[in-house]
Amino acid sequence: MKISYNWLSEYLTEIPEPEKLSSILTSVGLEVENLEKFEEIKGGLEGLIIGEVVECIKHPDADKLKLTKVNTGNGEALQIVCGAPNVAVGQKVIVATVGTTIHPLKGDSLTMKKAKIRGQESQGMICAEDEIGIGESHEGIIVLPGNVEVGSKVSEYFTPYSDWVFELGITPNRMDAMSHLGVAKDVYAYLSHHNKKSAPVKSPFKNNFKADNNKLKIEVIIENTEACQRYAGVSITNIKVAESPKWLQQKLKSIGIRPINNIVDITNYILHETGQPLHAFDADEITGKKVIVKNLAEGTPFITLDEKERKLNAEDLMICDGSEVPMCFGGVFGGIKSGVKDTTKNIFLESAWFHPRSIRRTSLRHNLRTDASSRFEKGVDISNTVNVLKRAAMMIKEIAGGEIASDVVDVYLNQKEKTEVVLKNHYLKKISGKNYHPDTIKNILQSLDFEILKEGLDDIRIAVPFSKPDISLPADIIEEIMRIDGYDNVEIPSAITISPAVETAGFEASYKEKVANYLIGLGFSEILTNSITNSAYYTEDVLNNSVKLLNNLSAELDVMRSSLLETGLECVARNINHKNNNLLLFEFGKAYSTSAIGNYNEEEHLCLYASGNKNESGWRGKENKVDIYFIKGVCEKLFRLSGINNTNFKVAGSSLNTFINDDLVAEINAADRNKLEQFSIKQPVFFADINWEKLTANARKIKIEFSEISKYPEVHRDISMIVSKNISYENVERLTKDLNITKLVNIKLFDIFESEKLGLDKRSLAISFTFVDKEKTLTDKEIDGMMNKIIVSYEKELSAEIRKAS
């Protein structure tokens, strides 16, 4: 949200400099994300001076150019080549001298330099409106009145409007600060507490409202009193819709609001001044001179201001006319027919309180995020509805003319009572860690519009202002006190006492750290992605079991991720788009799903991503691209690191699944082409999705054991055999392990050979075996016995043909 420094200063007796104010705002919980200078005219006309044309002759080498001499009050007149048709001797003009930077309406800024134009030196420029940003005309140079002083600054003549604008990061619980008046109250509370001076906020509400007549009475009926608990309105006739005065346009422009016309601009001004949204209806379009607040039938068509037809939901709160024809989404967006137009003469001005839940649902349902809905859905000040309405009506009368043609209609059936909170002194000390004097507590709260109902020996009863709907607990009151006093002022205790605790998740945390460090050592980088993602990434089958958001913040973020793949690919795509093509990434995160009976599930996963090259090319060799076997190798090392040696890899379609004791723990795959196209990725991406909860459970069972390295040498034997192409190395490895040869410590496939010479659908596998005995040196007889056992098993179970040297 943007706050104007100039605008804010109108409500404060004294206001710090912008930089100091920025620190104060952040201190009281209104974080300043950005502070920038606003200039209605870019550059503020700095460097431009007023000159007088003392000589003007035709350029000797150009028909449309003139050679002028301009007195700028600094001694010798400047020679300037000018192409404007209206330049003449005696004119007072705007001059950009050498070194001055001008900021045209269109195009880039330009710094003046000495130049030769058709052989004649030019020492600057005589400016037109569009060349310095004060207008759109380029028909000729600007000619000023004859009484202006030569050599004076153009910025002092035009006095362009400038301001400082704060970009605030308002948290959802601070509805009271979503206006200039609300921010001013926080600044006042801070200054009065820290400077020990009371200078109350200047109220914009004046007791000067009076109806001129009652010629245009409009009745208000509220049918849905839950969704609309208060509705007020007033009629104004004979207005003139026109351009807003300059001061009003400048204020709106400074906070990024485009001026439209005086009526709309006043409602926007009031919104950003007080936080209360208003809506102006063309009164002549209100059939039956009645406003009815109600819900309409499901599917009722309604055309909004953006000329789109929307089908209403039965829960949408609508503002209707006497014929029950919808005119406006209550508190969200207006209709095309009932809005203020250039021809509008009479208006009905609305100020209401709508239930936050109703507004938010309608806003999200129809994808209508407006300034009004963002305030209503957080809760506006129900007690200020009429005061704001009266102020807006008087402003319209002053700026747009006309007459106030009715008394204020205020339908407020069930008046709300202020929330009361009891704050105990010992609880304040316990939470804040500080002893506050009772007068300090009282002064801070009263400066924030809290009402002190009763003061006891050990407690204080407080009435919460309607402008702070989020406050209902003693802890909320403590937060208000502490943020005004300053969290930096919390005293540091002389001693800190702690209670020893048993670490319940110690293994999980240390194991995750161990795995993360191992992966980083392998060259991987850890990423963290959003668990809320876009439903467009998933197929209909996946979406049937996904967790959908009811109140999503945007159309793109509307579902909890069913896997980490899609959010990881977003990160991969971003890196590739920034020319970072060689990627090794990993992420710990949760995946979410629902069951057929509506139960929600969330599982912790570890996902690995690899794309591009494993290593860069250099003098020692060429680069090597990552592939599915690289990811498989990383997973194998990861399992061994965890002490898990009983893993089995099985091919399932295009996936390579990893099992621990027949329990599926990981899936290794290559992202398919369609998935890569979703993210505009043009290079292969390989990934492993590891069920972290299952892996952790298995790792926890592993008992760490130490054994002495064998004193006796390892023995290596190789065999080469011809088998059917249908037999995978996985079959060979499983069969070998099932033989339970205790002295066999390793088996590895080191070559695959395929040729028509081997036979139809045949291939050769070359396998290496490593044997060791920790008690003694193995003999040839023992080794041959184990190898024969393996060979016999291969020949019998795999129909293998053992290849022997000829």
Side-chain angles (χ1 to χ4, degrees), residues 427-488:
Y427 184 66
L428 171 59
K429 182 182 178 182
K430 176 184 175 182
I431 298 299
S432 68
K434 184 173 180 178
N435 274 319
Y436 284 98
H437 192 279
D439 288 343
T440 299
I441 300 170
K442 184 177 175 181
N443 291 337
I444 289 177
L445 293 176
Q446 287 179 332
S447 68
L448 292 171
D449 289 343
F450 288 88
E451 183 183 350
I452 308 301
L453 300 176
K454 183 181 177 182
E455 294 181 73
L457 291 175
D458 188 47
D459 61 23
I460 182 171
R461 181 176 290 274
I462 305 148
V464 180
F466 289 111
S467 60
K468 296 179 179 289
D470 193 65
I471 292 180
S472 60
L473 302 172
D476 299 329
I477 301 293
I478 294 171
E479 181 184 359
E480 294 291 287
I481 294 168
M482 292 184 68
R483 69 182 184 83
I484 296 301
D485 181 48
Y487 293 114
D488 291 340

Side-chain angles (χ1 to χ4, degrees), residues 230 232 351 382-391 408 410:
R230 189 175 191 181
S351 179
I382 196 169
S383 68
N384 215 25
T385 304
V386 171
N387 292 333
V388 172
L389 180 67
K390 289 178 177 179
R391 170 158 170 74
V408 170
D410 182 19

Side-chain angles (χ1 to χ4, degrees), residues 43-97:
L45 305 177
E46 286 297 318
L48 299 174
I49 58 175
I50 295 174
E52 181 179 8
V53 180
V54 295
E55 183 180 308
C56 180
I57 61 174
K58 185 178 175 298
H59 191 291
D61 296 316
D63 293 337
K64 294 184 178 181
L65 298 179
K66 293 178 182 177
L67 204 57
T68 68
K69 288 196 175 179
V70 182
N71 175 23
T72 57
N74 291 324
E76 189 176 345
L78 300 177
Q79 178 171 292
I80 298 176
V81 176
C82 180
N86 64 328
V87 63
V89 173
Q91 291 174 337
K92 299 290 180 67
V93 294
I94 295 175
V95 182
T97 58

Side-chain angles (χ1 to χ4, degrees), residues 148-188:
V148 297
E149 183 181 347
V150 171
S152 60
K153 295 180 180 179
V154 175
S155 59
E156 294 175 353
Y157 177 78
F158 283 101
T159 59
Y161 182 79
S162 65
D163 196 358
W164 285 97
V165 178
F166 301 88
E167 183 82 39
L168 302 184
I170 303 292
T171 52
N173 64 319
R174 292 302 314 277
M175 169 53 214
D176 59 301
M178 292 187 72
S179 66
H180 284 76
L181 202 54
V183 172
K185 289 178 181 179
D186 268 13
V187 175
Y188 156 66

Side-chain angles (χ1 to χ4, degrees), residues 302-473:
F302 176 56
I303 301 176
T304 46
L305 278 171
D306 55 4
E307 300 182 358
K308 292 181 181 178
E309 181 177 285
R310 290 176 162 86
K311 301 294 183 182
L312 301 185
N313 184 281
E315 292 185 358
D316 292 332
L317 186 69
M318 305 302 295
I319 312 300
C320 305
D321 63 17
S323 301
E324 298 191 352
V325 173
M327 300 187 294
C328 174
F329 278 116
V332 179
F333 205 50
I336 193 167
K337 186 179 178 183
S338 62
V340 173
K341 301 172 279 291
D342 291 344
T343 56
T344 298
K345 297 296 180 187
N346 308 310
I347 64 170
F348 178 72
L349 192 62
E350 164 199 284
S351 179
W353 189 96
F354 299 110
H355 200 289
R357 183 172 59 249
S358 171
I359 296 297
R360 182 166 179 78
R361 287 178 177 175
T362 294
S363 173
L364 292 171
R365 191 180 294 124
H366 298 285
N367 196 25
L368 291 170
R369 305 294 291 167
T370 62
D371 281 344
S373 67
S374 68
R375 274 132 178 110
F376 277 126
E377 67 188 25
K378 292 179 176 65
V380 299
D381 184 351
I382 196 169
S383 68
N384 215 25
T385 304
V386 171
N387 292 333
V388 172
L389 180 67
K390 289 178 177 179
R391 170 158 170 74
M394 295 306 293
M395 281 188 70
I396 290 173
K397 180 179 177 181
E398 177 187 345
I399 294 172
E403 300 174 328
I404 297 177
S406 74
D407 290 319
V408 170
V409 181
D410 182 19
V411 181
Y412 191 10
L413 300 176
N414 302 307
Q415 295 203 10
K416 295 182 84 172
E417 297 293 331
K418 286 185 175 180
T419 301
E420 294 184 9
V421 180
V422 175
L423 176 63
K424 295 188 178 294
N425 293 338
H426 72 273
Y427 184 66
L428 171 59
K429 182 182 178 182
K430 176 184 175 182
I431 298 299
S432 68
K434 184 173 180 178
N435 274 319
Y436 284 98
H437 192 279
D439 288 343
T440 299
I441 300 170
K442 184 177 175 181
N443 291 337
I444 289 177
L445 293 176
Q446 287 179 332
S447 68
L448 292 171
D449 289 343
F450 288 88
E451 183 183 350
I452 308 301
L453 300 176
K454 183 181 177 182
E455 294 181 73
L457 291 175
D458 188 47
D459 61 23
I460 182 171
R461 181 176 290 274
I462 305 148
V464 180
F466 289 111
S467 60
K468 296 179 179 289
D470 193 65
I471 292 180
S472 60
L473 302 172

Side-chain angles (χ1 to χ4, degrees), residues 634-689:
V634 172
C635 290
E636 283 184 304
K637 293 173 185 175
L638 202 59
F639 297 145
R640 289 199 197 103
L641 176 76
S642 307
I644 301 170
N645 296 312
N646 56 335
T647 56
N648 288 314
F649 292 89
K650 295 181 181 180
V651 176
S654 61
S655 295
L656 184 61
N657 295 340
T658 308
F659 294 84
I660 300 176
N661 296 328
D662 298 324
D663 189 14
L664 179 62
V665 174
E667 295 179 60
I668 304 169
N669 213 328
D672 64 55
R673 184 181 299 176
N674 293 335
K675 185 64 69 176
L676 294 177
E677 285 178 355
Q678 276 188 317
F679 299 90
S680 300
I681 297 174
K682 297 179 180 179
Q683 64 186 53
V685 177
F686 303 92
F687 68 94
D689 185 0

